[in-house]
Amino acid sequence: MPVRMKDIARDLGVSVVTVSKVLRNHSDIGDETRQRVLKRVRELNYQPNLTARALVTGRTYTVGLVVPDLVHPFFAEVAKGLSSILRKSGYSLIIASSEEDPDLEAQEISRLLARRLDAMVIASAQWTVASFRLIEEQKTPYILVDRRFAGLVANFVGVDDELVGELATGHLIAAGYRRIAHIRGPEVSTGLGRLAGYRRALARRDLRAPVHYVPEAVAGDDESEARGRAAMQRLLRVDPPPDGVFCYNDPTAVGAMNAILEAGLRIPEDIAIIGCGNVRYGASLRVPLSSIDQRCTVMGERAGKLALSLIGAKGSTRPKSIILQPKLVARASTRRNAAA
Amino acid sequence: MPVRMKDIARDLGVSVVTVSKVLRNHSDIGDETRQRVLKRVRELNYQPNLTARALVTGRTYTVGLVVPDLVHPFFAEVAKGLSSILRKSGYSLIIASSEEDPDLEAQEISRLLARRLDAMVIASAQWTVASFRLIEEQKTPYILVDRRFAGLVANFVGVDDELVGELATGHLIAAGYRRIAHIRGPEVSTGLGRLAGYRRALARRDLRAPVHYVPEAVAGDDESEARGRAAMQRLLRVDPPPDGVFCYNDPTAVGAMNAILEAGLRIPEDIAIIGCGNVRYGASLRVPLSSIDQRCTVMGERAGKLALSLIGAKGSTRPKSIILQPKLVARASTRRNAAA
DNA sequence: TTGAAAGCGGTACCAA
DNA sequence: TTGGTACCGCTTTCAA
């Protein structure tokens, strides 16, 4: 039903090839012909069928993004940054959410593969690299964001998670807190890196964390607030309880914060809280939340630029790592007033 | 470079047609042949090229979603609901963000049109219906979500915005507030509807709002918090200032809340605040925020189901409106303790 | 049960 | 400068 090149060609008495060339600004078309074609194109609101074009050129002008949770502000910001870059080059973004489920993610990846995307950007919730081998087989360029894999040499855009952990923990120490706990994330690069940074910061100041000081809050999904709350409740029962807590991410920190306030304790006088991600409403929370900014929008933008360059590159290029520097954002939740 | 049917056919000494039929579970293929084909398909990790398939079937198995702002939790939730429904039927979701810019939106819509999507879901930031006429021309089924247009008969999924305004305002009145202001949104169906509901609720109780009680905060984007704050600052200078404020949406309410607290006033003792949207962290804000739940995830799900049914339908069907019932969620920001 | 031929809407190449 | 022809990877139709 939509208009085709053939229709325009017939109307004008020229060939389909001529129309095609005009639309792609080929130089070797007479000016008069060109004008006639353009006029008719406008009259009919003609839109070239990108599906057909993709079939012959092998380029779909589409990039895929796979995230664990679309509503998590962190991934939403990444998506925004990515899409803003891609749009400028005529690319569209196809988004799949894995809901933090590795199997679902694998399934979505193979569905996207069938669409012959020009590139894929993945914040993975998986534990194995099988999906990535599949992508490599198809020669689709892909970029990991946020989370990376030990055994996988791949393009990557993210922060230095160990530094994240160090910054957060170091900040608590500098603010005078000593019994510092860490509500840790899942055993992926982000969770492990932040945990390592936490340990390193403590070690550097000769502080130790009792084993109960590192409860786990499984990551990033809808329920991370609930999990943060539960983890904090466990911490409050430890003797002595911590006086400062570094949380894996902001949603977890929000949950932990609520648990503390519900227990009748004060933030930051009794317990300080710092999160990670610096999400949009962090400054408006019950106690404005200190956090480590991961520059998520920039992360998306850099991933977008990298994707475009990979698509443009002829052969396979050496995988590139872009590591952004995290930044401390101190707010009231760690601001102990002269106490300590 | 990826495996094609032709490769499998050649390897097995059968025709491409046979392979194609096996993959689509056609009944008229011998069992032995079928098994051989499936085996080879597995061995090679064959993925049918959906681009090619789309060209001949006219079905892309892709739905487009256009939103003003991906990071706005409201639209993120809609996207999530939509994608969860589509995934189950093998559809993918292509997302475009208009950044609240009508021109950008029009441009994105026409780009999506070129991709021959099976359906589109749009939360529009436009003022005119030109884009929708274009979509209709191409016979692509489309659904408006959240915002609708006066002069446009189209499929729609959203809430009853007038009821939203009435619920919010009525709740403030019932809680004992009398000088009720409304920080209004843009002049689109949502903003106008909520404003009308606000007026109607006041009228019903014989209350009137001075003209200065209805400042505008332009909607939904990154800056709505800043705009909410600015609008609230204006309200604080009115004499007498309002004692209750119904805000167009939650981000605006967060801004207003911050302005009130910064001015040294208390919520809800001096001024009550109610928003709309019931976003994820509303309960964890400086003062837990009362809001009107718009059931955004459900909105996305219903839009998804409607999209699938439109795609399945043969001819054009009569446009359908799905109106969800908004629900009051009362929290501390409107809970005046025995006062009034 | 199987497959040859045509064609979906474009683009690439080369000859006119 | 213009256009004929082949073909991208798959499905559809119809004959064998």
Side-chain angles (χ1 to χ4, degrees), chain A residues 55-330:
Chain A
L55 186 55
V56 37
T57 61
R59 298 278 221 89
T60 53
Y61 278 87
T62 308
V63 168
L65 173 67
V66 181
V67 293
D69 175 15
L70 251 181
V71 188
H72 192 308
F74 175 80
F75 297 114
E77 295 276 8
V78 171
K80 182 184 188 134
L82 182 59
S83 114
S84 75
I85 294 294
L86 296 180
R87 177 181 38 234
K88 291 175 197 154
S89 299
Y91 281 76
S92 294
L93 185 63
I94 194 158
I95 298 191
S97 170
S98 66
E99 311 296 333
E100 292 283 359
D101 175 344
D103 295 334
L104 202 53
E105 180 182 317
Q107 193 184 310
E108 289 288 359
I109 287 178
S110 72
R111 186 179 290 173
L112 292 182
L113 245 20
R115 294 183 180 277
R116 303 296 190 266
L117 306 180
D118 293 342
M120 301 189 50
V121 177
I122 304 173
S124 181
Q126 301 203 61
W127 303 87
T128 72
V129 298
S131 283
F132 304 101
R133 298 300 175 212
L134 213 66
I135 302 178
E136 287 164 5
E137 250 175 53
Q138 310 259 348
K139 311 274 184 230
T140 304
Y142 70 96
I143 300 169
L144 299 178
V145 288
D146 189 44
R147 308 182 189 183
R148 65 197 316 181
F149 290 85
L152 187 66
V153 181
N155 295 289
F156 174 73
V157 180
V159 293
D160 179 339
D161 280 297
E162 207 165 320
L163 184 50
V164 166
E166 267 197 273
L167 271 178
T169 310
H171 170 65
L172 289 173
I173 298 173
Y177 299 95
R178 288 295 172 269
R179 297 193 312 278
I180 299 174
H182 173 45
I183 298 182
R184 57 180 291 196
E187 300 211 343
V188 297
S189 66
T190 47
L192 294 174
R194 290 171 205 175
L195 173 62
Y198 159 76
R199 293 228 160 100
R200 197 163 69 189
L202 289 185
R204 190 170 286 175
R205 309 297 195 97
D206 285 323
L207 294 171
R208 271 169 319 156
V211 62
H212 290 105
Y213 268 28
V214 189
E216 180 164 0
V218 181
D221 65 341
D222 278 6
E223 299 149 33
S224 40
E225 190 191 331
R227 293 182 204 263
R229 171 185 268 115
M232 189 68 224
Q233 284 163 345
R234 284 203 299 282
L235 280 175
L236 290 175
R237 284 194 296 268
V238 176
D239 181 34
D243 62 356
V245 182
F246 159 42
C247 299
Y248 171 64
N249 62 14
D250 283 351
T252 305
V254 170
M257 190 178 265
N258 288 336
I260 294 171
L261 298 176
E262 282 159 17
L265 298 169
R266 295 160 307 165
I267 301 170
E269 293 80 357
D270 298 313
I271 303 183
I273 289 278
I274 185 166
C276 175
N278 194 27
V279 302
R280 215 180 247 191
Y281 297 113
S284 305
L285 295 174
R286 290 169 73 173
V287 180
L289 180 65
S290 296
S291 191
I292 305 294
D293 193 309
Q294 293 179 91
R295 312 178 60 207
C296 28
T297 310
V298 175
M299 211 180 276
E301 290 168 358
R302 299 297 294 272
K305 286 176 191 166
L306 181 52
L308 292 178
S309 85
L310 293 174
I311 294 169
K314 293 289 162 231
S316 58
T317 53
R318 220 174 69 252
K320 204 170 158 183
S321 269
I322 297 178
I323 308 293
L324 303 173
Q325 290 307 304
K327 220 179 63 191
L328 172 71
V329 179

Side-chain angles (χ1 to χ4, degrees), chain A residues 5 20 24 46 53:
Chain A
M5 279 195 178
S20 171
R24 285 171 300 137
Y46 171 74
R53 183 180 283 176

Side-chain angles (χ1 to χ4, degrees), chain B residues 34-250:
Chain B
R34 170 182 309 274
Q35 294 311 328
R36 288 175 61 218
V37 170
L38 289 177
K39 176 155 170 286
R40 193 76 187 132
V41 161
R42 254 179 276 113
E43 284 169 1
L44 298 179
N45 274 323
Y46 171 74
Q47 296 276 42
N49 183 326
L50 294 186
T51 313
R53 182 180 284 177
L55 185 56
V56 34
T57 61
R59 297 281 221 88
T60 54
Y61 278 87
T62 308
V63 168
L65 172 67
V66 181
V67 294
D69 174 15
L70 250 181
V71 187
H72 192 309
F74 175 80
F75 297 115
E77 294 276 8
V78 171
K80 182 185 187 133
L82 182 59
S83 112
S84 76
I85 294 294
L86 295 180
R87 178 184 35 235
K88 291 175 197 153
S89 299
Y91 281 77
S92 293
L93 185 64
I94 194 159
I95 298 191
S97 170
S98 66
E99 311 297 332
E100 289 284 358
D101 175 344
D103 295 334
L104 201 54
E105 180 181 318
Q107 192 185 311
E108 288 288 359
I109 288 178
S110 73
R111 185 178 290 173
L112 292 182
L113 245 21
R115 294 184 181 276
R116 304 294 190 269
L117 307 181
D118 293 342
M120 299 187 51
V121 177
I122 303 173
S124 181
Q126 301 203 62
W127 303 88
T128 72
V129 299
S131 282
F132 304 102
R133 297 302 175 211
L134 212 66
I135 302 176
E136 287 164 4
E137 249 175 54
Q138 309 260 347
K139 311 274 183 232
T140 304
Y142 70 97
I143 301 168
L144 300 178
V145 287
D146 189 43
R147 307 179 189 185
R148 63 198 316 179
F149 291 85
L152 186 68
V153 181
N155 296 290
F156 174 73
V157 181
V159 294
D160 179 339
D161 281 298
E162 207 165 321
L163 185 50
V164 166
E166 269 198 88
L167 271 178
T169 311
H171 171 64
L172 289 172
I173 297 173
Y177 299 95
R178 287 294 174 269
R179 300 192 310 279
I180 298 173
H182 173 45
I183 298 182
R184 56 179 290 197
E187 299 211 342
V188 297
S189 66
T190 48
L192 294 173
R194 291 170 205 176
L195 173 62
Y198 159 77
R199 293 227 160 98
R200 196 162 68 189
L202 289 184
R204 191 169 284 175
R205 309 297 194 97
D206 284 324
L207 295 171
R208 269 168 320 156
V211 62
H212 291 105
Y213 268 29
V214 189
E216 180 164 0
V218 180
D221 64 343
D222 279 5
E223 298 149 36
S224 40
E225 190 190 331
R227 294 180 202 265
R229 171 186 267 113
M232 190 67 225
Q233 284 162 345
R234 287 203 298 284
L235 281 175
L236 290 175
R237 287 193 296 268
V238 175
D239 181 36
D243 62 356
V245 183
F246 159 43
C247 300
Y248 172 64
N249 61 16
D250 284 350

Side-chain angles (χ1 to χ4, degrees), chain B residues 17-32:
Chain B
V17 181
T18 302
V19 178
S20 171
K21 284 179 176 167
V22 169
L23 287 167
R24 284 171 301 133
N25 287 317
H26 251 253
S27 56
D28 55 356
I29 292 291
D31 210 48
E32 195 214 352

